[in-house]
């Protein structure tokens, strides 16, 4: 909430700055909306400085904020003011170029703010990541990827000649898969089985790819197009957990699950996924009466002894199953990391590059919103809240704040009435044709745009609820 409130205040502050710069009166500057309920005006707090035309306040409805500019058709739908004679301090009497700057002021502030935050993150913390080539166990690919020529343990390092930075879960993997979706030629490092001397060596292999893969399918398929290869080895087991009682111990390797041979935790998860489909298709009563049990073939730690165990799985999230008390080996803890420090000057171009790369990825992914899978992936306040860690982390907080600022800037510049981009579209029309759209048209367009936004907000937050209930 703190990040969103900060971004909304600065966004509206951008409109406020340019309005004041050009002598336009700002009547209200609010965080959150303040629709009236009966005789209550809807403000939790408000004040108006002496000799000021602006009332500052906090509304009761936490859906953003607004800057009410005199002589402008906006979400206030103030028809009475628009029916009055035009005044020199009103938005509608100013030249089109000034009105354009007032309208893009919020988007400009959000975009520049994101670039500034990214730059300061790099200056303060630097950039620590695992280079793709250091991911020595490589990736686990699904059958569609293998049909193109990929093999388990391959390490993608180039896509159409451009370097793939990282294959880490947080951000790097998503970027890598997005890049692979449009690449026509991918270079991978593949273990060289002909190498002598017992030392693991790699050779470069070029794979021709279609160049038009569906990125959303790549990350939502089960199994996904590619995931980090996680060995089917147990790192630790909680004492007295169901898994411990069944006989599993740290260092054990899983050889088979329910009769299916596995060589990675990725395949273990696939078998658990099959069990989930069967288990959650049953009525509640049937699920409660019989808990799911996985049949495992295990090679115990530091031994060639094979054992067959029956391990009870536990239910969580109302749609997932897991092994109780097990933590699998995570090779990413052992991969060699790289750290890059940035100075006062070098952090700026690096921050700008990172911000524009983030924006371009978001823009490229927007087309998937208009697909059934993409529509279901829309999220509201719950999804935004889940972006932030459960424990306070300043680095993560500022990363997510910058990301949300980029999103807020882009979403607001979309040519939808009621958004800044809708007003910009009508202003550009006026500048080209030298004719203003009628006020009646503008009011109707504002109603339509506002209705679209409310509908999208309802759907996004409904998706959050359905995910929480385990229905979607």
């Amino acid at each position: 909430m703190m990040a969103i409130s900060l971004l909304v205040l600065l966004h509206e502050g951008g409109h406020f700055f340019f309005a004041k710069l050009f002598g336009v009166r700002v009547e209200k500057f609010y965080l959150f909306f303040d629709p009236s309920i009966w005789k209550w005006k809807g403000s939790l707090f408000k004040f108006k400085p002496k000799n000021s035309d602006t009332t500052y306040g906090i509304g009761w409805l936490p859906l953003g904020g607004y800057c009410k500019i005199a002589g402008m058709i906006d979400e206030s739908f103030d028809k009475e003011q628009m029916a009055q004679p035009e005044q020199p301090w009103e938005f509608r009497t100013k030249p089109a170029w000034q009105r354009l700057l007032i309208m893009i002021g919020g988007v400009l502030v959000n975009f520049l703010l994101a670039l500034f935050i990214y730059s300061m993150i790099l200056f303060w913390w630097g950039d620590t990541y695992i280079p793709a080539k250091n991911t020595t166990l490589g990736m686990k690919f699904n059958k569609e990827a293998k049909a193109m020529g990929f093999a388990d343990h391959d390490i993608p390092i180039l896509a159409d000649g451009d370097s793939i930075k990282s294959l880490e879960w947080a951000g790097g993997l998503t970027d890598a898969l997005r890049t692979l979706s449009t690449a026509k030629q991918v270079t991978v490092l593949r273990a060289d089985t002909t190498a002598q001397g017992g030392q693991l060596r790699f050779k470069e292999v070029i794979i021709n790819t279609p160049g038009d893969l569906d990125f959303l399918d790549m990350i939502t398929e089960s199994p996904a197009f590619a995931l980090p290869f996680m060995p089917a080895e147990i790192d630790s087991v909680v004492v007295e957990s169901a898994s411990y009682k069944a006989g599993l111990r740290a260092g054990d390797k899983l050889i088979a699950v329910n009769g299916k041979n596995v060589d990675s935790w990725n395949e273990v998860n696939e078998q658990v996924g099959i069990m989930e489909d069967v288990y959650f298709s049953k009525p509640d009563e049937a699920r409660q009466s019989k808990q799911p049990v996985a049949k495992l073939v295990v090679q115990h730690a530091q031994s060639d002894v094979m054992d067959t165990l029956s391990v009870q799985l536990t239910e969580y999230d109302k749609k997932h199953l897991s092994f109780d008390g097990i933590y699998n080996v995570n090779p990413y803890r052992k991969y060699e990391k790289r750290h890059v420090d940035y100075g006062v000057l070098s952090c700026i171009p690096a921050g700008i590059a990172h911000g524009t790369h983030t924006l371009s990825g978001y823009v490229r992914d927007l087309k998937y919103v208009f697909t059934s899978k993409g529509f279901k992936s829309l999220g509201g306040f719950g999804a935004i809240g889940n972006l932030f860690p459960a424990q306070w982390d300043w680095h993560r907080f500022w990363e997510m704040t910058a990301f949300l600022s980029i999103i807020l800037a882009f979403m607001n510049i979309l040519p939808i009435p009621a958004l800044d981009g809708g007003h910009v579209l009508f202003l550009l029309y006026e500048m080209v044709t030298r004719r203003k759209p009628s006020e009646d048209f503008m009011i109707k367009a504002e109603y339509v745009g506002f209705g679209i936004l409310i509908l999208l907000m309802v759907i996004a937050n409904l998706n959050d609820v359905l995910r929480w209930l385990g229905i979607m």
Side-chain angles (χ1 to χ4, degrees), residues 291-358:
Q291 295 297 312
V293 175
K295 302 291 185 180
L296 307 181
V297 176
V298 178
Q299 179 180 335
H300 289 298
Q302 300 177 346
S303 138
D304 292 330
V305 175
M306 296 289 183
D307 201 357
T308 301
L309 305 176
S310 296
V311 182
Q312 182 176 307
L313 304 185
T314 58
E315 178 182 344
Y316 74 99
D317 280 353
K318 300 181 180 180
K319 61 178 180 179
H320 289 110
L321 297 173
S322 68
F323 289 98
D324 178 40
I326 283 184
Y327 296 92
N328 60 292
V329 169
N330 183 358
Y332 277 77
R333 295 173 183 169
K334 298 180 181 180
Y335 292 148
E336 184 180 350
K337 294 182 179 180
R338 183 185 179 196
H339 180 80
V340 181
D341 285 315
Y342 291 88
V344 176
L345 296 180
S346 61
C347 73
I348 296 174
I352 292 173
H354 183 69
T356 51
H357 175 76
T358 300

Side-chain angles (χ1 to χ4, degrees), residues 96-126:
W97 68 271
Q98 291 185 4
R99 285 181 279 138
L100 182 62
L101 285 174
I102 291 171
M103 291 317 307
I104 66 173
V107 168
L108 184 63
V109 166
N110 281 135
F111 183 64
L112 293 178
L113 175 67
L115 300 184
F116 174 75
I117 293 175
Y118 280 132
S119 298
M120 291 302 98
I121 288 173
L122 293 174
F123 172 72
W124 190 261
W125 285 285

Side-chain angles (χ1 to χ4, degrees), residues 100-173:
L100 182 62
L101 285 174
I102 291 171
M103 291 317 307
I104 66 173
V107 168
L108 184 63
V109 166
N110 281 135
F111 183 64
L112 293 178
L113 175 67
L115 300 184
F116 174 75
I117 293 175
Y118 280 132
S119 298
M120 291 302 98
I121 288 173
L122 293 174
F123 172 72
W124 190 261
W125 285 285
D127 186 16
T128 302
Y129 64 98
I130 299 171
K133 66 179 182 179
N134 292 354
T135 311
T136 52
L137 285 181
M139 310 292 287
K140 180 74 175 178
F141 295 89
N142 67 11
K143 62 181 182 180
E144 287 78 15
K146 289 177 180 177
M148 297 174 196
F150 291 98
D152 288 342
H153 299 290
D154 279 355
I155 308 169
I157 57 171
L158 295 172
D160 287 339
D162 294 329
S163 296
I164 293 174
K165 180 181 178 181
S166 176
L167 299 172
E168 293 179 81
W169 288 97
L173 179 62

Side-chain angles (χ1 to χ4, degrees), residues 158-223:
L158 295 172
D160 287 339
D162 294 329
S163 296
I164 293 174
K165 180 181 178 181
S166 176
L167 299 172
E168 293 179 81
W169 288 97
L173 179 62
T174 302
D175 277 347
L177 291 177
R178 184 184 291 113
T179 301
L180 293 179
S181 70
T182 57
K184 293 187 176 181
Q185 193 174 78
V186 177
T187 302
V188 301
L189 295 179
R190 182 170 292 174
D192 187 355
T193 55
T194 64
Q196 302 297 317
Q199 185 177 359
L200 181 62
R201 297 181 184 276
F202 294 92
K203 59 183 178 181
E204 290 191 1
V205 176
I206 295 176
I207 300 171
N208 294 318
T209 47
D212 59 352
L213 296 174
D214 189 304
F215 170 63
L216 193 60
D217 282 345
M218 292 173 72
I219 62 176
T220 59
E221 286 176 337
S222 183

